[in-house]
Amino acid sequence: MQGPRHSDDKMNSLMMAARSIVAEKGLSALSLRTLGKASGWTLGDLTYHFGKKQYLLDAFADHEAKEQIEAIGGFAALAKLMTPLDNQTLAALTNLCIDDAVSNRRALSLSWFELLLDREHSDATAAAIESVRKEQTAAWQELLEQGGHPHAGWLAPAIAAFVAEETLHSLSLGALPEYRLLRNANIARMLDGVFPASHALDFAPLIDRLHSQLRREPSDHSGRRGTISQAIGDLVATSGVGAISHRAVAMRADVPPSTVAHYFRTRADILHAGIEWLYAALQDGLQQDMPRGPRDSMGIRKILDPAPGAVVRTLSRVGHQISLAAARDPALAPFAAMARSRRGRHARIVFPAAAATGNMDIGAAQVLSLVASGAHITSGIWDKTMIRSVAEILENLIKYYRTSHE
């Protein structure tokens, strides 16, 4: 970072202006020029202070991380008042943590998930993200230890990851009763030991009800319509939901915009066809070494690694992008509901150790999927170390189940 130091009040005001831009329009909309227009600073002053956009992004990430850590501290202080800490109280605190982030810190939450989902992290931004993850995990572990929980070290990282994942979904789906019931059921299952007891709730009706929010007939993926659907899916996977428009799809499919409009009149029509195609293509990747046939022609092999874990991470990332877009545009909420309802569909393939217990129902599959996905997005660096860390969290969650049911 370059240039003279400014007062803390001026810098905080500048970062709040940056947050407004990112929360409303996404991280890609933040630049020295847009920030200058929003804050009243001159472009020359911003350039002199930050030097280039990356230094601005690093400063923004650092500011938002500090805000997140302050919020974690406030929640932890409140949570410590809740004694004794049984599973019912712990479930209430988990819900409170999510709802507070969605209702009272919505702009901060939106900007933070923009940073988390940006895969082009600098080292400074990755360090800021990692500091928040550690603080979140430490807060839950301290709370569990204070409550005398015998497996605080195992459960705390799982709760922290789950809260991150469900906060993102709650930003777009929090008002839906079907989603609220499903979230509550997932929390209870996680705290009770993941795998079902003989009296366990049947999750299938709740999931089906949430999935039914998208009331559309399956798209036709044959002929010219199918070619355009493939282009949409490719664009979503590589550039995100925010990049979708008739013109952008036309360029990717190498057809006139009028052709795209002929088959898909609205943006919702475009999204439905492309997301449906993308999920089908990625699902094929789990059933065989990679998608084959016509889907190959759009370069799906370039989108993801053929390993099942990598395919699911791509599915997870697409779901996150849909949820974040739906948090700004309520018209996309049905697509977010569809993405959330799909969590855990491939758990038997991705979590073979859990499947080997013989107790893997859809409720257990959803919990493991949500925890794994949340652990992925809250990691500042996407590498083999991160993957091993996620695997360890899941292994310990399964250990917690076995120990708690002995």
Side-chain angles (χ1 to χ4, degrees):
M1 191 175 298
Q2 302 174 356
R5 293 183 60 83
H6 290 264
S7 71
D8 290 343
D9 287 345
K10 285 186 176 181
M11 185 53 61
N12 185 64
S13 177
L14 184 66
M15 291 297 103
M16 293 299 288
R19 180 189 296 172
S20 295
I21 294 171
V22 174
E24 181 181 352
K25 299 179 180 179
L27 194 63
S28 62
L30 179 61
S31 67
L32 296 174
R33 189 174 299 278
T34 58
L35 182 57
K37 290 180 179 179
S39 66
W41 286 41
T42 67
L43 180 59
D45 197 12
L46 289 171
T47 302
Y48 184 60
H49 185 78
F50 293 108
K52 59 181 180 180
K53 181 179 178 178
Q54 186 57 60
Y55 293 148
L56 167 60
L57 293 176
D58 290 343
F60 179 63
D62 182 67
H63 178 272
E64 298 299 84
K66 289 176 179 175
E67 292 277 308
Q68 287 282 1
I69 290 172
E70 182 178 344
I72 292 166
F75 168 77
L78 180 62
K80 288 176 183 177
L81 301 176
M82 302 294 290
T83 56
L85 190 65
D86 55 19
N87 276 0
Q88 184 176 357
T89 302
L90 193 54
L93 289 172
T94 304
N95 268 315
L96 175 63
C97 188
I98 296 170
D99 290 338
D100 179 55
V102 172
S103 300
N104 299 328
R105 296 180 285 109
R106 186 176 183 85
L108 174 60
S109 296
L110 286 169
S111 71
W112 187 245
F113 281 110
E114 282 286 341
L115 288 165
L116 292 180
L117 296 180
D118 177 23
R119 304 190 72 190
E120 303 300 325
H121 294 146
S122 69
D123 291 342
T125 296
I129 291 171
E130 179 65 8
S131 70
V132 173
R133 185 194 66 79
K134 288 181 177 179
E135 196 71 24
Q136 288 169 330
T137 302
W140 282 107
Q141 184 162 343
E142 183 179 352
L143 180 63
L144 290 165
E145 288 174 348
Q146 178 181 297
H149 199 287
H151 304 295
W154 290 354
L155 192 55
I159 295 177
F162 180 95
V163 165
E165 177 74 7
E166 286 290 52
T167 297
L168 176 54
H169 294 302
S170 296
L171 284 166
S172 58
L173 301 175
L176 282 179
E178 296 88 350
Y179 167 71
R180 300 282 302 192
L181 285 171
L182 181 58
R183 191 182 85 182
N184 288 341
N186 283 138
I187 291 172
R189 178 63 72 82
M190 175 177 63
L191 299 177
D192 288 340
V194 182
F195 296 105
S198 57
H199 58 281
L201 173 72
D202 182 4
F203 279 66
L206 278 175
I207 293 171
D208 290 344
R209 181 70 176 266
L210 183 61
H211 189 74
S212 70
Q213 293 294 312
L214 190 64
R215 298 182 179 89
R216 286 173 176 265
E217 294 298 321
S219 298
D220 177 9
H221 294 308
S222 62
R224 179 64 65 87
R225 179 188 290 271
T227 300
I228 297 173
S229 296
Q230 293 171 23
I232 301 166
D234 181 55
L235 191 59
V236 169
T238 56
S239 302
V241 175
I244 296 299
S245 68
H246 283 83
R247 185 174 298 277
V249 171
M251 291 180 63
R252 183 62 63 99
D254 195 23
V255 299
S258 58
T259 301
V260 178
H262 172 73
Y263 290 105
F264 308 103
R265 294 180 57 193
T266 68
R267 187 167 184 263
D269 294 335
I270 293 177
L271 283 170
H272 180 256
I275 291 170
E276 186 182 73
W277 176 86
L278 182 60
Y279 272 115
L282 293 170
Q283 185 166 319
D284 283 354
L286 289 169
Q287 305 302 327
Q288 47 189 307
D289 62 341
M290 280 296 293
R292 301 186 186 280
R295 296 192 179 104
D296 261 357
S297 64
M298 293 307 299
I300 193 70
R301 291 175 181 270
K302 299 177 182 178
I303 297 174
L304 49 84
D305 185 289
V311 175
V312 171
R313 285 194 295 275
T314 301
L315 281 167
S316 177
R317 188 175 74 250
V318 170
H320 291 149
Q321 292 171 344
I322 294 169
S323 291
L324 193 54
R328 298 190 183 95
D329 183 357
L332 299 179
F335 296 100
M338 178 186 72
R340 173 61 179 82
S341 69
R342 287 176 176 268
R343 286 288 188 257
R345 285 198 175 191
H346 309 295
R348 293 183 182 278
I349 299 172
V350 182
F351 311 125
T357 66
N359 287 326
M360 174 78 86
D361 71 341
I362 188 60
Q366 282 228 327
V367 170
L368 290 173
S369 177
L370 291 165
V371 169
S373 187
H376 282 136
I377 62 171
T378 53
S379 297
I381 302 174
W382 290 56
D383 58 9
K384 291 182 179 179
T385 300
M386 177 273 291
I387 294 172
R388 285 194 296 270
S389 175
V390 174
E392 183 179 356
I393 291 172
L394 295 174
E395 288 168 4
N396 287 337
L397 193 57
I398 294 170
K399 286 180 186 176
Y400 169 61
Y401 152 72
R402 289 171 174 161
T403 304
S404 62
H405 285 76
E406 287 177 352

